[in-house]
Amino acid sequence: MNIVFFQAALIFYLLGTASSLAFLIFLRKIFSHIGKLALTGGFAVHSLALVLRYSEAGHTPITNLHESLSFFAWSIVGVYLLLHLKYRVEVLAAFISPVATVLIILSSLFPKDILPLAPVLESYWLPIHVIFAFIGNAMFTIAFAVGVMYLIQERQIKSKKIGPFYYRLPALKVLDDLNYRCLTFGFPLLTLGIISGSVWAESAWGSYWSWDPKETWSLITWFLYAALLHGRLTGGWRGRRAAIFAIVGFGALVFSFLGVNLLLTGLHSYN
């Protein structure tokens, strides 16, 4: 039954993405409203799919690539909807919804069978580690999208040629502030995700850190965002530099999340 609601969520996200992109192109409010309704409806249905899968599996649905990609997409849409309540950056959906939609499409391509949980995953640390890590990753995804928007808007302003996106994108200060806000929430969550993972590793494998490829790339990602946060707090990093760092950090995050699982083998590899 969870697959039915998962597929319904995919349809909602596709509609939300199409409508959000239409708003970006035509700047008509009706498309923005449809996009928000579709993403909200998709998030609600997706939440039900995850709850049902949890009920059917008996554990947090995050133990294979189908589940993890689905959970990542759900986290991104959820964080976006929360941020939208405060910042009301209408056009942000056009940059966020495609990412979530691609993730859920990729999720649909992997086996959806519920398999017995590996003994090492039978721990109360699983949901704790997962929630911290994925919500932090969702925050960084928003920062990535905002960074892309910042670079587009800055280029238009510096070229002194008002392009089609100038009136569609927010002011540079709004984008920079939102980037910083995502960083200040995302970095502590990523840190807690790594710490909880280390504690879990010690109880499961007898070692807090084993330099597994996943652990190594998570640490690389952490250092990149730590450098960005330090630069913003002490070095006055703002604007373009912060936007570029947010994009680079997201690249490391994607490789840590997906590339390691598909290209490298280790303790954290999905079956």
Side-chain angles (χ1 to χ4, degrees), residues 51-131:
V51 170
L52 288 173
R53 192 168 182 90
Y54 175 86
S55 177
E56 294 169 20
H59 57 77
T60 307
I62 194 68
T63 59
N64 55 48
L65 276 172
H66 164 70
E67 294 176 345
S68 62
L69 287 165
S70 173
F71 197 90
F72 194 8
W74 176 82
S75 301
I76 291 171
V77 176
V79 168
Y80 160 73
L81 291 174
L82 283 176
L83 288 175
H84 182 73
L85 293 176
K86 179 177 181 180
Y87 288 93
R88 300 290 179 179
V89 179
E90 301 288 340
V91 76
L92 180 57
F95 292 82
I96 287 299
S97 56
V99 177
T101 301
V102 167
L103 287 172
I104 199 170
I105 289 174
L106 288 175
S107 173
S108 69
L109 300 178
F110 287 96
K112 304 172 185 62
D113 298 331
I114 296 177
L115 301 176
L117 193 64
V120 72
L121 297 178
E122 294 178 353
S123 170
Y124 60 85
W125 283 108
L126 176 61
I128 297 173
H129 172 62
V130 163
I131 290 171

Side-chain angles (χ1 to χ4, degrees), residues 29 86 95 108 112 134 146 181 184 189 199-201 218 237 245 254 258 263:
K29 278 286 186 180
K86 179 177 181 180
F95 292 82
S108 69
K112 304 172 185 62
F134 275 85
V146 171
R181 183 61 59 190
T184 56
L189 289 168
V199 174
W200 183 12
S218 294
W237 289 13
F245 247 88
V254 170
L258 193 56
L263 302 177

Side-chain angles (χ1 to χ4, degrees), residues 10 22 27 68 75 89 170 175 180 191 211 218 233 241 246 253 255:
L10 173 55
L27 210 61
S68 62
S75 301
V89 179
L175 294 171
Y180 179 59
T191 302
W211 294 105
S218 294
L233 293 175
R241 180 179 294 182
L253 185 153
F255 186 79

Side-chain angles (χ1 to χ4, degrees), residues 161-230:
K161 294 180 181 179
I162 303 302
F165 291 109
Y166 178 78
Y167 297 105
R168 290 161 170 77
L169 299 180
L172 293 180
K173 186 180 184 308
V174 172
L175 294 171
D176 191 53
D177 288 346
L178 183 53
N179 190 329
Y180 179 59
R181 183 61 59 190
C182 290
L183 177 64
T184 56
F185 279 103
F187 184 74
L189 289 168
L190 174 63
T191 302
L192 289 171
I194 291 176
I195 291 173
S196 60
S198 296
V199 174
W200 183 12
E202 197 281 331
S203 65
W205 298 310
S207 174
Y208 288 103
W209 200 266
S210 59
W211 294 105
D212 177 78
K214 185 82 167 185
E215 295 173 345
T216 302
W217 274 96
S218 294
L219 187 61
I220 291 171
T221 303
W222 186 89
F223 274 121
L224 284 171
Y225 285 112
L228 174 55
L229 182 59
H230 181 268

